[in-house]
Amino acid sequence: MATAISVQQLAVSFRTRQGSVAALQPLDLELGAGRIVGILGPNGSGKTTLLRVLAGLQTPTSGRVQLLDRQANDPALRRLVAFQPDGPLPLGVLSAPEFLAYVGAQLGLPNAVSDARAQAWLERLELQHAGRRWVRTFSSGMQKRLALAAALLGEPSILLLDEPTSGLDPIGSGVVMQILRERAAAGMTILMASHHLLEVEEICDEVLVLQGGVLRARGTLAELLGTDADSLVVRGLDHDQLQQLAQAATALGGEVLRTERQRDHLFALFRRLANEPVRGQPK
Ligand code: ADP
């Protein structure tokens, strides 16, 4: 697997009135192309700083950073690496199509290419109905989706995402995750900082865990979370049969951890309701 991102002894500190803050302690990383990598960590652990360094927006205090075999601030990376920041979008008095046309022009895309891609992403991310509305009147979820469309417009090789699903409802998050999966399958390397642990678990091939600017853990989910134990999940037995199975398991030296009543996930309920016509209030 080709290396997309290579970081050696990267450190970032900020000068503040209280003295120097070490946002990232010397960090080494090699990330392969076409992977989806989650960056986890509490607030202030250095996630955004790492993304900003990779995006060429923050100069490291020390260390070496290479993306696609180039230095992070190499102008050639401008179209190859895209960053979706967290927070409200700039240029709030543009409409969504105008915003994307501006981004396309910044990237040097021909108008026709930019317009066609913008149209496709606005539809896919369900923003086509926003029409001429100003971006600053968008909900945070709509701004998030537009920020993703902007980041995807140049068809980058590396996509850096800061909280890509914050402010999105579960259906919107599902659409975003599906897009990310498709892009990664097409070879895009995706690095995403997120607090949504279930989403990270569902979509990421690998995770980095930062704490106080230190890389505390790193690996695939199987490496970090896997155990040697297999478990048995059964369906279709009545209460007495389950008791017999539990006794047999105990007699074999196993440990019965729990029995639980089957139920669906909230996401399934949410999706079902979204697809049903509204017929008044629930009783
Ligand atoms: P996270 O994204 O994990 O919440 P950040 O990368 O934003 O963390 O911040 C890491 C640390 O660096 C925090 O202590 C934060 O206060 C500090 N920090 C980030 N940016 C600046 C800045 N521009 N000036 C001073 N301190 C900063």
Side-chain angles (χ1 to χ4, degrees), residues 94-111 114-115 118 122 146 153:
L94 299 183
S95 67
E98 286 167 348
F99 183 85
L100 294 181
Y102 174 83
V103 172
Q106 292 291 305
L107 292 169
L109 297 178
N111 285 349
S114 175
D115 290 349
L122 289 175
L146 182 58
L153 200 69

Side-chain angles (χ1 to χ4, degrees), residues 14 16 21 23 42-49:
F14 293 105
T16 68
V21 174
N43 292 330
S45 56
K47 304 181 297 296
T48 300
T49 303

Side-chain angles (χ1 to χ4, degrees), residues 16 26 33 43 86 110 122 135 137 144 157 159 193 222 226 232 242 244 266:
T16 68
N43 292 330
D86 196 17
L122 289 175
V135 165
T137 69
K144 216 43 318 169
S157 301
L159 184 61
L232 172 73
L242 278 177
Q244 287 171 33
L266 266 180

Side-chain angles (χ1 to χ4, degrees), residues 48-130:
T48 300
T49 303
L50 176 58
L51 290 174
R52 284 177 50 81
V53 168
L54 296 174
L57 300 172
Q58 171 69 50
T59 310
T61 307
S62 58
R64 213 168 106 92
V65 179
Q66 288 209 308
L67 296 97
L68 309 169
D69 298 325
R70 297 179 170 92
Q71 304 294 327
N73 55 2
D74 187 329
L77 291 176
R78 233 162 45 87
R79 267 168 79 164
L80 296 171
V81 180
F83 176 47
Q84 178 202 31
D86 196 17
L89 291 172
L91 307 169
V93 293
L94 299 183
S95 67
E98 286 167 348
F99 183 85
L100 294 181
Y102 174 83
V103 172
Q106 292 291 305
L107 292 169
L109 297 178
N111 285 349
V113 173
S114 175
D115 290 349
R117 287 185 192 169
Q119 177 69 25
W121 284 122
L122 289 175
E123 277 173 26
R124 181 88 195 266
L125 289 158
E126 293 179 21
L127 287 167
Q128 74 277 32
H129 305 301

Side-chain angles (χ1 to χ4, degrees), residues 112-192:
V113 173
S114 175
D115 290 349
R117 287 185 192 169
Q119 177 69 25
W121 284 122
L122 289 175
E123 277 173 26
R124 181 88 195 266
L125 289 158
E126 293 179 21
L127 287 167
Q128 74 277 32
H129 305 301
R132 312 301 306 162
R133 269 176 64 184
W134 285 354
V135 165
R136 75 171 182 214
T137 69
F138 284 13
S139 68
S140 63
M142 290 168 77
Q143 295 211 19
K144 216 43 318 169
R145 284 179 274 149
L146 182 58
L148 180 62
L152 289 165
L153 200 69
E155 298 190 346
S157 301
I158 297 179
L159 184 61
L160 306 167
L161 307 169
D162 201 352
E163 297 288 343
T165 60
S166 73
L168 293 184
D169 64 41
I171 305 279
S173 298
V175 170
V176 167
M177 294 214 294
Q178 183 55 28
I179 290 171
L180 299 184
R181 271 192 208 100
E182 289 167 14
R183 296 292 85 213
M188 196 179 276
T189 306
I190 299 173
L191 201 54
M192 56 181 261

